């Protein structure tokens, strides 16, 4: 996917070329979080732990201001809805499928994260 290719390019610049990378996509909300969080997950094994993954989602998605309710076809309507977070979860899952031993969690955990993002009021 283009998300994985973008994340890999960021990783290449940082790890091989030893350069800093500025990531800012057109609106600054959606693709930016996808790319930064995926590259961090690839570069730092801490983010592939349960605690690290939680920190990553909190830092790069929640604290960054991702508009979950608008993107998840909430009250904003279909014009602003887009499965941005779910696309990122899918990219993480694709990487997990290739190297599961590198992760402390499994696909069931990713399913729970996706369900909570799209149905936040179904859990206590």
């Amino acid at each position: 996917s283009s998300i994985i290719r973008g994340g890999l390019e960021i990783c290449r610049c940082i790890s091989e070329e030893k350069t800093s990378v500025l990531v800012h996509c057109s609106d600054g909300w959606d693709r930016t979080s996808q790319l930064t969080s995926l590259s961090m997950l690839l570069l730092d094994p801490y983010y592939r732990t349960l605690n690290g993954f939680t920190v990553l989602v909190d830092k790069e998605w929640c604290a960054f201001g991702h508009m979950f309710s608008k993107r998840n076809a909430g009250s904003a309507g279909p014009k602003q809805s887009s499965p941005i977070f779910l696309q990122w979860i899918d990219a993480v899952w694709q990487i997990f499928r290739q190297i599961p031993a590198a992760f402390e969690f499994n696909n069931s955990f990713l399913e729970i994260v996706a369900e909570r993002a799209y149905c936040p009021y179904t859990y206590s």
Side-chain angles (χ1 to χ4, degrees):
S1 79
S2 62
I3 300 165
I4 294 174
R5 283 192 302 272
L8 289 172
E9 179 61 19
I10 293 168
C11 292
R12 186 189 65 73
C13 290
I14 292 170
S15 65
E16 294 176 17
E17 294 183 19
K18 310 292 187 221
T19 61
S20 298
V21 177
L22 172 66
V23 179
H24 179 64
C25 301
S26 60
D27 64 3
W29 294 94
D30 296 330
R31 302 286 179 231
T32 304
S33 292
Q34 285 179 328
L35 294 171
T36 57
S37 57
L38 191 64
S39 60
M40 292 170 73
L41 181 95
L42 292 167
L43 288 168
D44 190 343
Y46 169 70
Y47 295 117
R48 296 189 297 269
T49 67
L50 286 168
N51 187 53
F53 192 83
T54 303
V55 168
L56 183 64
V57 170
D58 184 51
K59 181 170 78 82
E60 295 297 309
W61 291 89
C62 299
F64 193 65
H66 181 69
M67 299 176 281
F68 284 97
S69 62
K70 286 185 180 181
R71 296 301 183 248
N72 296 348
S75 60
K79 286 189 176 186
Q80 292 188 12
S81 67
S82 182
I84 300 299
F85 186 73
L86 190 58
Q87 290 171 345
W88 177 72
I89 291 289
D90 179 66
V92 173
W93 177 79
Q94 289 180 45
I95 294 165
F96 165 79
R97 294 276 301 179
Q98 295 178 40
I99 47 170
F103 291 81
E104 186 179 276
F105 51 84
N106 59 24
N107 62 325
S108 295
F109 173 74
L110 293 174
E111 288 174 13
I112 291 169
V113 171
E115 286 175 7
R116 289 203 176 204
Y118 283 85
C119 304
Y121 303 109
T122 58
Y123 298 92
S124 57

